Every structure is written in C-alpha cells, then in structure tokens.
Amino acid sequence: MVRFITTLICLSFTSVTFAQDKAIIDSSASPHIQLHGIDIGDCQWTDGFWAEKFQLCESVMVPHMGDILKGDVGHALNNFKIAAGVMEGEHQGFSWHDGDFYKWIEACVYLDAVNHDENRLDDIDEMIDIIGRAQENDGYLHTATQIEGIPHFSNRRFHEMYNCGHLYTAACVHHRVTGKTNFLNIAIKNADLLYRLFQPRPKQLSRFGFNQTQIMGLTELYRTTKDKRYLDLAEIFINNRGNQRSGDAPSVTGESFGDMVQERVPLRNETEAVGHAVLALYFYAGAADIYAETGEKALIDALDRLWENVVNKKMYVTGALGQTHYGVSSRHDKISEGFLNEYMMPNMTAYNETCANICNSMFSYRMLGIKGDSKYADVMERVLFNSALSGISVDGTHYFYSNPLRMINGSRNYAKMNTESPKRLPYLKCFCCPPNLVRTIAKSSAWAYSLSDTGIAVNLYGGNKLSTQMRDGSPIRLNQKTNYPWEGSVKISIESCKNEPFEIRLRIPEWAAGTEIRLNAESININAHAGSYATIRRTWNPGDVIELDMPMNVQLIEGHPRIEEVRNQVAVARGPVVYCLESPDLPNETSILDVYLPSDSQWTPQFQPNFLGGITTITGDIAVRNIPKQHMYHPIGKPQWKTERAQFIPYFAWSNRGESEMTVFVPVIWK
C-alpha cells in the first residue's frame, strides 16, 4: 500500500511540474535531449497521405486486428483469459504473443488520443481487467509459461523480457493519454518483481535478457513514476550484455548466443551491428533512452558508431534492415533474421523483417531527440514511406513479415520457410510485425514535430494541424497544407503563438537539393541545405505563412560499389518514395529478369487516386531482352533490345494485385 501511495504522489507531482510530459517518449525532464516530443494527440493528420493512412488505421487496421487478436485465430486475449482462470483451454501462439497484444492495445490508445472514443476506452478497460486478473500475486505475468506450467525465468527463449517491455510501454502510454492507473499498476507490480530478481545480478540470470524491449519500457516507467530503481534496472540489463561468449548456461540452453544476441562484445565497446536485427535495434533504442537520462559519453559514442554502421553499411535503400534469414556474423557466430557483413546486400533473399525496419525508425527517432540532426529524421521518413508500409496491404488486412527487394517466380521453395511468403497473408503465426506497424501508423503524427528550448522543429511533412505548448509553456498552433509525398510544396501557417522571437526549424530532406523557402510569399535568405534543418528565427505573427518548394524530380539511385548485388543497377526514387517494377505492369510473359533501364529514360509522374489506394506512379522507357535461363553460363552475342513503356509503383504498394514478380533495382544501360 505504501508503495502504491508513493507512486500516486510521484505521478501527481510530475503532472504539475513538467509541461509536455505526455509524449510517446516522455523526455520532458531528460537532461541530455535537444529535441523533445510533443504530447500524444497534439498533432493530428488532417488531409493527404498520412491522414488517409491514419483513417484506414482507425476504421480498418485496428478493428480488423482486434477481431484477430480477441478471437480464436489470434487467441491473444484468450490466453489471458485462460491464465486468469475465466476460460479453459491451451496456450496458442508463440511465447511472445502477449507483447503483440500489448502493442495492439497501445495502437488503440493512440487512436483515442485523437478521437476520444469512449466505447474504445471501455473495451480497453475490460481487457486490462482480464490482464490484471491473469497477473500472479508476486507480479509475474506471462501467459505461455503460466498456462503451460513452465518455471518462471528459466530460459530466455520464452521471451519474458520482451513481453515485460511492451507491457511497460503500453501502460505508460495508456496512463499519459487517459490519466488512468489501472494498466500502469499492473506494469509497476511486474517491474517491481523484475527489480527484486535482477537487481542483485545473480549469475544464473546474468544472460537472461534476449529481446531487450524491457530497457525501453523500464526507462519509460522511470519517466512516468520517477522511481529511479527502474532506470537503474534498465542500465543493469545494458551492463549484463556482452560479458559471456559460450552457450553453456541454464537460461540459454539450446538457444542462440554470441553475436546473435549481441553478447560477444559489451555495448560500449561495440563497433558493428551484429546478430538478430530486431534484438539489436531494440537494444540500441533502449540504450539511447538511458543516455538521455545519464549522459554517459561511452554510451553515446557507441550508439553513434552503431547508427553509422547500420545506416551507411547495412541498410537497404528502402530503410530496411536484416539482410538474411540465416547466416553468419563477421565474427563467425551463427545468426538468424539479422545482419550480415558490411555491404553484403542480397535482393531476392533479403529478409528485412517489418519489425526490424520499424525498429530502425524507433532508434533514429531517439537519436534525433539526442542530437537534433535531421539525418535521423531522414531515416525515419525513408522507413515510414517504404519498408514499414510494405508490411501491410493497401486495404489494411494482409501482411508481410519479410520485405525482399526482388521477387522471382519459382525462385524459392516457400513451403520450407516459416516467415517468408510470395504474397501478403491474412494472418501470420508469428504476429509481432502487424501490431508493431499499426501502432507506428497510429502514433506517426507525434513524430511530425519536436520541441527545442528555442522553438519547434518540423520533422515530417503531411497535412496536419498542431496545437501544443512550447518548452516555456507558451501555446502555439500551426496548420500544414501539402500533398506530400506526391508533391513537394508545403505551406505552414502560424495560427497563434507568443509575441517573442523563437525558432522554427524546417527539415530539408537529403534528397531535396534545390529546395526554396518563402515567408509570406517573399523569398528569404536562408540556408536550405539538403540534409539539414533550415532555421528561421523571428518574432512570428498569426497569419504568417512559410512555404517550402522541394523539387520532385525522378532520381536514379546507385549503390555503393562494394554492394556486389547491385553493381550496374539502379533504383528509381521520387521524393522520399522508392519505386519498384512489378510484373502486372510489364508486357505479357516478360520476366523481371528480362528488364533493363536506359539511363536517359523520360519519366512521367501521374497521380492515380483510384489505383492501389491512391498513389503517384512513374512511367518510363524500359529495354526488354529475352535472356536464356537454361544454363548457369552461356556465350552471348550482341543483345537484341525491345523498347517498352512501363509503369513503376511505390515499393510499399507491391503485392496488392495477386502473386507477382517485383524488383527495386534494375540493370542500367548507360547512355
């Protein structure tokens, strides 16, 4: 009881002391942050691309996924009912399925921050009640081990830490949006159990962290309650990793070890992203949260190295991560669903789990807050428009787990694969990616702006309205009008603000060389360098209008010369969107492998509102060559070419017209 009262006092105190403490990541009091988040719901998409995606998320994605997870197919809520003793049955789904359910609840809460649906809140409260009844007296909560009678914290392969982390994050978000403590109390009770078990750092549990979401979750719990034990525990999980190399330990028997789970080298000494991509990126994101609170130089130095390694040596043009399903690390450890050596970037067998791609943006969002550098928002945007959205169909009901950059008919035996598929599926047995993507779409407007001590930063473009408070407590309202990403013109109107000078930072994307900025229809002398924030500082007045004009030229993207898989090939991009060529847009019986791209192809962009959910396509000349495919190698004479016009579509929209071939990179004919 004393512990509960103390928590309530802390919660009450924080709500009075700090403004803007209801962000996705509550860095309002974090001492080592340059850009702080806005409160959830302060920015709302109003029209255009993201407004349409958010509306689809609200009307289709979240309800459809709820039917799955609360029904007999997904069985997630059933698992909690069985663990609570209100239903009989067996556990279904993987052991981390609880965490997937928490992510879906989190998505529901983000929607409520915008639309304030009382029916949805009541539904969430009913589910929280069931979750609370499933929780054991000591705070333990993990339906797979509870239902199956498995000893608690006996083997890390059961993903208990993963479920804990998503529980804490969802509970903190729920509290910030609703003000309620019913979900938060469950999380606190569970986190107190973790502290009792792991804070003494017993040897038998020293390697227990596997999928490290608990680090992010514990840090958010610290920020919410101001109980420093949770931050200390989060740092313990960082410090435990990297001190063991063998596979012999009771909690890791039969489980991957070494680079696969980032335990061969302590994080502060690491120089390369290795192992399972999702495990790595959640780990790095959690470490970034800890740095925001502690300011430890060794930690941020390591994160700087790792971000550069990920983005500049292991990331696909779509922002995707995790080059392979099965492979070996540079230090010769067996790995899966993860990173290969630098510049080793296969297209057809690229794994690129949707969760890994989303984790890439989560890590970059935290680095954006710490550093304030627009390059991190560039990565966030690249992921959002490409390798994140590719994980869900344009109607919001079918899913991809992996996201290759090339698909060839008959090239792979999908019957032998447990996650890859030649087309989107209505349900994935491993269901971690769909709710992760849906919660990302639901919270995306909260990434659009950040707050600095001197003003506000515009991170993402899209039709929206912003009504928030700046760091000094003064209110500000902005209105953004644009047809981004299909058009490069953006108009930001100041509707109200303080009568004192402050900064508005405008992100100039790395692809947007030649961007022009106008203020109240007049050109202004300001550095609009691509890949940076253009900063305007002045005393603003209601009615002021900022206009950006970003060139939307079609660009051919070439890979680093060390990426052998794309030598003499190019990808097509326009603005932040990467395009692909899909077989429905080719002449009959033409394989993707027969297509080449003349470097001087003339491009025609066209917005098609009734095609694939409303997209801009690009039409250009291609060269088709009938290539013999019977032999490994064959002699060749002068190639015979046939010129055709073909339509390129955004990569995220492929596989919505039945099973097909697809490629992002196309061999180029230089002219």
Side-chain angles (χ1 to χ4, degrees):
M1 177 60 71
V2 172
R3 169 84 186 105
F4 177 69
I5 293 173
T6 302
T7 298
L8 288 181
I9 293 173
C10 290
L11 292 173
S12 176
F13 177 78
T14 58
S15 66
V16 173
T17 305
F18 302 114
Q20 296 296 326
D21 60 355
K22 295 178 175 59
I24 298 168
I25 300 171
D26 177 15
S27 62
S28 58
S30 302
H32 304 283
I33 286 287
Q34 293 192 38
L35 293 179
H36 303 259
I38 59 173
D39 280 356
I40 303 166
D42 280 3
C43 177
Q44 299 180 17
W45 301 119
T46 54
D47 51 46
F49 186 91
W50 285 116
E52 293 168 2
K53 293 300 180 187
F54 184 88
Q55 194 280 327
L56 186 68
C57 181
E58 179 183 14
S59 61
V60 176
M61 293 180 186
V62 167
H64 175 77
M65 192 170 293
D67 290 341
I68 291 173
L69 290 173
K70 293 189 293 181
D72 293 335
V73 174
H75 207 264
L77 185 58
N78 287 349
N79 289 335
F80 283 103
K81 290 179 179 179
I82 296 168
V86 298
M87 177 178 176
E88 294 184 356
E90 298 179 353
H91 184 275
Q92 293 186 28
F94 287 104
S95 56
W96 53 87
H97 205 40
D98 293 0
D100 304 336
F101 192 57
Y102 298 141
K103 283 183 281 186
W104 176 77
I105 292 178
E106 187 182 340
C108 294
V109 175
Y110 292 133
L111 296 182
D112 182 71
V114 173
N115 59 28
H116 308 293
D117 187 334
E118 292 299 325
N119 292 329
R120 179 178 287 118
L121 279 182
D122 291 343
D123 188 38
I124 292 172
D125 281 343
E126 291 178 7
M127 291 183 287
I128 292 172
D129 179 67
I130 295 169
I131 292 169
R133 293 169 68 179
Q135 188 171 32
E136 298 186 6
N137 291 334
D138 66 352
Y140 187 83
L141 180 61
H142 186 78
T143 64
T145 53
Q146 289 174 273
I147 294 170
E148 296 176 10
I150 298 170
H152 301 173
F153 302 109
S154 58
N155 196 307
R156 67 186 185 188
R157 68 186 176 90
F158 295 118
H159 280 70
E160 284 148 300
M161 296 293 98
Y162 173 87
N163 287 348
C164 290
H166 285 300
L167 167 64
Y168 305 158
T169 299
C172 288
V173 168
H174 178 263
H175 169 69
R176 290 168 193 168
V177 171
T178 68
K180 298 180 179 181
T181 58
N182 51 343
F183 205 11
L184 186 63
N185 289 336
I186 295 171
I188 289 171
K189 188 176 180 180
N190 183 262
D192 288 348
L193 171 65
L194 286 198
Y195 188 84
R196 292 195 300 272
L197 292 175
F198 288 89
Q199 188 277 335
R201 302 183 73 172
K203 184 176 180 180
Q204 68 270 23
L205 293 177
S206 63
R207 298 176 64 186
F208 200 81
F210 181 74
N211 196 335
Q212 302 273 61
T213 62
Q214 82 275 12
I215 299 172
M216 289 182 288
L218 284 165
T219 308
E220 286 309 310
L221 208 54
Y222 157 72
R223 290 164 169 164
T224 302
T225 66
K226 302 306 174 187
D227 188 332
K228 193 173 180 295
R229 296 182 308 150
Y230 303 140
L231 180 64
D232 294 341
L233 182 58
E235 192 162 13
I236 285 173
F237 283 113
I238 292 282
N239 298 338
N240 279 350
R241 186 60 60 93
N243 299 311
Q244 298 87 10
R245 300 187 179 186
S246 73
D248 297 327
S251 67
V252 298
T253 302
E255 190 52 64
S256 301
F257 61 92
D259 278 343
M260 169 62 179
V261 291
Q262 301 82 43
E263 69 174 0
R264 186 174 286 280
V265 177
L267 178 65
R268 294 169 179 82
N269 300 331
E270 186 59 276
T271 59
E272 179 186 5
V274 294
H276 193 288
V278 174
L279 273 59
L281 270 296
Y282 276 147
F283 189 27
Y284 306 158
D289 282 338
I290 290 177
Y291 170 79
E293 305 303 324
T294 66
E296 183 190 341
K297 187 177 185 301
L299 207 53
I300 194 60
D301 286 348
L303 293 175
D304 283 338
R305 292 192 303 270
L306 290 165
W307 189 90
E308 291 292 337
N309 182 257
V310 165
V311 171
N312 294 319
K313 296 183 178 181
K314 299 194 177 187
M315 185 177 77
Y316 283 89
V317 70
T318 58
L321 295 178
Q323 301 110 298
T324 187
H325 193 158
Y326 300 108
V328 177
S329 74
S330 61
R331 293 184 281 252
H332 307 145
D333 286 337
K334 186 175 79 170
I335 63 100
S336 65
E337 302 184 340
F339 294 110
L340 291 173
N341 288 6
E342 297 170 353
Y343 303 112
M344 188 177 292
M345 312 289 291
N347 290 310
M348 189 174 67
T349 59
Y351 197 66
N352 294 344
E353 179 186 342
T354 303
C355 273
N357 309 337
I358 294 168
C359 291
N360 192 15
S361 62
M362 292 171 63
F363 178 33
S364 284
Y365 180 59
R366 285 159 169 81
M367 295 298 286
L368 173 68
I370 292 168
K371 297 283 189 172
D373 192 322
S374 69
K375 68 182 182 181
Y376 303 110
D378 283 338
V379 171
M380 292 161 53
E381 179 179 74
R382 183 178 298 204
V383 171
L384 286 173
F385 280 117
N386 299 289
S387 56
L389 280 183
S390 60
I392 195 166
S393 60
V394 294
D395 69 358
T397 63
H398 287 63
Y399 315 104
F400 267 143
Y401 189 94
S402 61
N403 297 272
L405 273 70
R406 182 171 293 148
M407 181 70 72
I408 307 297
N409 289 340
S411 61
R412 310 185 75 187
N413 185 352
Y414 290 97
K416 295 183 178 180
M417 299 176 185
N418 61 355
T419 50
E420 294 102 320
S421 58
K423 61 182 180 180
R424 303 175 195 276
L425 299 175
Y427 180 70
L428 307 174
K429 184 179 179 182
C430 181
F431 205 65
C432 56
C433 296
N436 207 359
L437 176 52
V438 168
R439 73 166 177 165
T440 301
I441 296 171
K443 71 182 178 184
S444 57
S445 62
W447 283 358
Y449 297 92
S450 294
L451 302 171
S452 71
D453 291 340
T454 55
I456 193 164
V458 186
N459 305 322
L460 302 175
Y461 296 110
N464 66 64
K465 60 181 180 180
L466 173 72
S467 180
T468 193
Q469 288 184 343
M470 301 178 71
R471 290 282 290 166
D472 62 5
S474 59
I476 183 171
R477 289 194 296 126
L478 304 179
N479 193 330
Q480 187 176 150
K481 296 288 187 182
T482 180
N483 196 27
Y484 194 87
W486 312 129
E487 297 176 10
S489 59
V490 178
K491 182 181 292 186
I492 301 173
S493 303
I494 289 81
E495 296 188 342
S496 66
C497 64
K498 65 180 180 179
N499 189 28
E500 297 174 6
F502 65 91
E503 294 178 350
I504 295 182
R505 305 184 195 180
L506 308 166
R507 184 178 64 89
I508 312 300
E510 59 181 347
W511 52 264
T515 293
E516 297 179 358
I517 302 177
R518 293 180 293 277
L519 177 60
N520 297 331
E522 297 288 337
S523 295
I524 57 176
N525 184 19
I526 187 172
N527 182 9
H529 180 69
S532 69
Y533 281 103
T535 302
I536 307 174
R537 180 177 177 81
R538 70 192 300 265
T539 299
W540 300 88
N541 299 300
D544 284 343
V545 177
I546 305 168
E547 295 177 89
L548 289 85
D549 190 2
M550 294 174 275
M552 279 285 179
N553 303 318
V554 176
Q555 297 180 334
L556 300 184
I557 308 298
E558 184 178 28
H560 190 284
R562 284 182 57 187
I563 308 176
E564 294 187 24
E565 292 85 351
V566 298
R567 287 293 298 273
N568 206 38
Q569 298 180 52
V570 293
V572 177
R574 183 173 180 269
V577 179
V578 175
Y579 282 73
C580 70
L581 191 58
E582 197 175 15
S583 53
D585 298 312
L586 295 176
N588 290 337
E589 299 183 3
T590 300
S591 171
I592 289 294
L593 297 176
D594 296 330
V595 176
Y596 291 68
L597 184 64
S599 62
D600 61 354
S601 183
Q602 299 299 305
W603 300 100
T604 304
Q606 180 183 2
F607 181 67
Q608 301 191 48
N610 299 316
F611 180 55
L612 295 176
I615 59 171
T616 291
T617 60
I618 304 174
T619 302
D621 291 332
I622 60 171
V624 178
R625 171 188 167 209
N626 187 13
I627 304 174
K629 302 178 181 66
Q630 305 94 307
H631 306 290
M632 281 280 285
Y633 305 99
H634 56 267
I636 185 175
K638 183 178 181 179
Q640 299 297 310
W641 303 103
K642 182 179 180 182
T643 301
E644 301 278 0
R645 294 287 284 177
Q647 174 179 264
F648 287 66
I649 65 170
Y651 169 73
F652 74 78
W654 87 277
S655 187
N656 282 280
R657 294 176 284 174
E659 193 169 331
S660 63
E661 294 191 336
M662 177 277 299
T663 189
V664 171
F665 279 94
V666 183
V668 64
I669 303 172
W670 296 106
K671 293 189 177 181

